[in-house]
Amino acid sequence: MKAALLTGIREFEVGDVPAPEIVKATDVLVRIKTVGVCGSDVHYYTTGRIGAQVVEFPFVIGHEASGIVEAVGEKVTNVRVGQRIAIDPAVACGHCDQCRSERENTCRELLFLGCPKQLDGSLAEFVVTDERSCFPIDDAMTFDQATLSEPLAIGVYAVEKSNLRDGANVAVLGVGPVGMCVFHVLRTRDVGSVYVTDKIDRRLEFSKELNPKGTANPDNEDVVAKFAALEPLLMDVVYECSGDPEAIRQGIHLLKPGGTLAIVGIPEVDDVAFPIHELRRKDLTIVNIRRQANCTRKAIDLLASGEVKMDSMATHHFALGEIGDAFELVANYRDGVMKAMITL
Ligand SMILES: [Zn+2]
Ligand SMILES: [Zn+2]
């Protein structure tokens, strides 16, 4: 089968590799139709690593995917051959203490598509995954939408975990794809005012389709002063989606006493300092978001019902042979890109 092999830093080769095969009775062989390019894929592309997860070249990356079931193991009941599905890239063991308490995102033996030394990624014609990671979709749902259900599920999970009360005023710091997914989910809830920041002005413009009350670029203005002038009692919840330690600090300054900081973004650094006295005096809660658990079906339903409309997120489409162009586009934030989709 054809696959996009990451062969070095900023180097892809599209070549032939052996197709994966069904081994376990619960395995599903999926013919991949669409793959979304995620920021984490771009980290592997530009630096060969995310923290301690280091790529050994060549390796197939990619994890936001949808496709059609090509074959199933003998015990599969969840999906049938020919069915269109969205894929949850996480494969949990299903029996450890975490899995048994519905925390599959922190499964002790968690495997993830396109993660070095775990599972080969989805930038290939076929992947094999467990049936529990396969989610049937309606005929009306596009493969782009099914693929977008992966980051949207993280938005659903972040909002569920964030102590969000009706009428809450919130800020989303960083409105790249994940920040926009959080914002989309917020728009399905009864929230008060939503404020957003980003260092890319085109992303602030893009976010206006969801009608934020205020936008600010932290490179050009004091986001805390600007939003505090509009919302003197400050925010109930801040979703940090940029991974920038400076944004974590801004988030703490933006919160009212009793507020919640949800850390969704993935910092590039290993340690982050917090203004501990402000955290303590304001009695703030910090919530960490590790991918998502049990939110894939909810994300698919939000898209299927039209409650969340995010087709505009898929700004660019590429063929597998154009993979290098797609990653350069995303790595350089060119041409107003939000989500680049690889279509197989
Ligand atoms: Zn991702
Ligand atoms: Zn487990």
Side-chain angles (χ1 to χ4, degrees):
M1 68 168 180
K2 290 262 182 288
L5 292 159
L6 191 61
T7 52
I9 304 291
R10 289 187 182 247
E11 269 176 33
F12 272 112
E13 233 171 69
V14 177
D16 279 304
V17 298
E21 285 173 12
I22 288 178
V23 178
K24 290 188 283 107
T26 55
D27 277 348
V28 176
L29 177 68
V30 188
R31 177 184 289 275
I32 298 295
K33 296 298 286 184
T34 300
V35 182
V37 177
C38 173
S40 61
D41 301 322
V42 173
H43 275 298
Y44 292 130
Y45 173 71
T46 56
T47 69
R49 65 193 305 154
I50 296 178
Q53 279 159 340
V54 182
V55 175
E56 266 175 41
F57 302 113
F59 183 62
V60 179
I61 57 173
H63 59 273
E64 299 179 0
S66 58
I68 299 173
V69 175
E70 181 85 2
V72 297
E74 56 200 22
K75 286 198 177 142
V76 168
T77 54
N78 207 9
V79 292
R80 52 181 168 68
V81 172
Q83 200 156 30
R84 302 163 78 247
I85 60 165
I87 298 173
D88 174 354
V91 181
C93 79
H95 50 71
C96 72
D97 64 323
Q98 298 294 301
C99 286
R100 276 184 279 123
S101 50
E102 299 202 348
R103 299 195 44 86
E104 297 204 334
N105 56 331
T106 50
C107 167
R108 306 279 178 173
E109 293 165 45
L110 189 65
L111 299 173
F112 202 80
L113 288 185
C115 221
K117 299 178 192 69
Q118 295 182 21
L119 299 172
D120 283 343
S122 55
L123 282 166
E125 281 181 281
F126 295 98
V127 298
V128 164
T129 188
D130 192 87
E131 66 167 330
R132 285 181 300 122
S133 298
C134 299
F135 289 81
I137 57 170
D138 287 346
D139 288 346
M141 179 169 278
T142 66
F143 286 116
D144 274 5
Q145 289 168 332
T147 297
L148 287 168
S149 73
E150 197 272 345
L152 183 63
I154 297 168
V156 173
Y157 185 66
V159 170
E160 279 188 1
K161 269 192 84 178
S162 62
N163 309 318
L164 186 76
R165 290 191 204 92
D166 285 353
N169 293 321
V170 306
V172 180
L173 309 184
V175 277
V178 169
M180 282 300 290
C181 285
V182 169
F183 198 173
H184 273 286
V185 176
L186 289 169
R187 278 286 171 250
T188 69
R189 304 295 186 98
D190 174 16
V191 287
S193 300
V194 181
Y195 298 84
V196 305
T197 68
D198 206 284
K199 292 186 170 183
I200 300 172
D201 286 328
R202 280 185 77 164
R203 292 199 161 167
L204 293 176
E205 280 307 310
F206 191 87
S207 76
K208 286 181 181 166
E209 74 177 46
L210 294 176
N211 198 21
K213 181 162 176 195
T215 66
N217 182 333
D219 279 344
N220 307 332
E221 54 202 326
D222 181 337
V223 302
V224 177
K226 183 174 182 180
F227 293 166
L230 292 161
E231 210 63 62
L233 294 181
L234 300 173
M235 309 298 161
D236 296 279
V237 184
V238 171
Y239 300 90
E240 199 309 287
C241 300
S242 72
D244 184 345
E246 190 51 43
I248 292 178
R249 215 163 296 125
Q250 289 157 5
I252 291 166
H253 297 328
L254 281 169
L255 282 166
K256 65 166 64 168
T260 297
L261 173 67
I263 299 180
V264 190
I266 301 173
E268 286 184 22
V269 295
D270 292 328
D271 293 286
V272 175
F274 289 83
I276 189 68
H277 294 296
E278 188 174 354
L279 272 182
R280 189 175 54 77
R281 282 192 210 103
K282 285 182 173 175
D283 199 16
L284 299 180
T285 299
I286 296 182
V287 171
N288 285 284
I289 307 301
R290 168 60 167 164
R291 296 183 186 141
Q292 58 88 20
N294 308 312
C295 290
T296 300
R297 177 50 66 191
K298 293 173 195 170
I300 291 169
D301 289 347
L302 285 174
L303 291 163
S305 68
E307 231 188 310
V308 167
K309 292 189 180 70
M310 52 194 288
D311 289 344
S312 59
M313 289 268 292
T315 49
H316 295 72
H317 291 83
F318 294 89
L320 194 61
E322 302 167 317
I323 188 80
D325 296 339
F327 272 68
E328 280 302 312
L329 178 86
V330 180
N332 297 306
Y333 303 98
R334 275 206 300 262
D335 196 22
V337 64
M338 283 300 283
K339 191 57 91 178
M341 294 289 191
I342 312 299
T343 310
L344 281 90

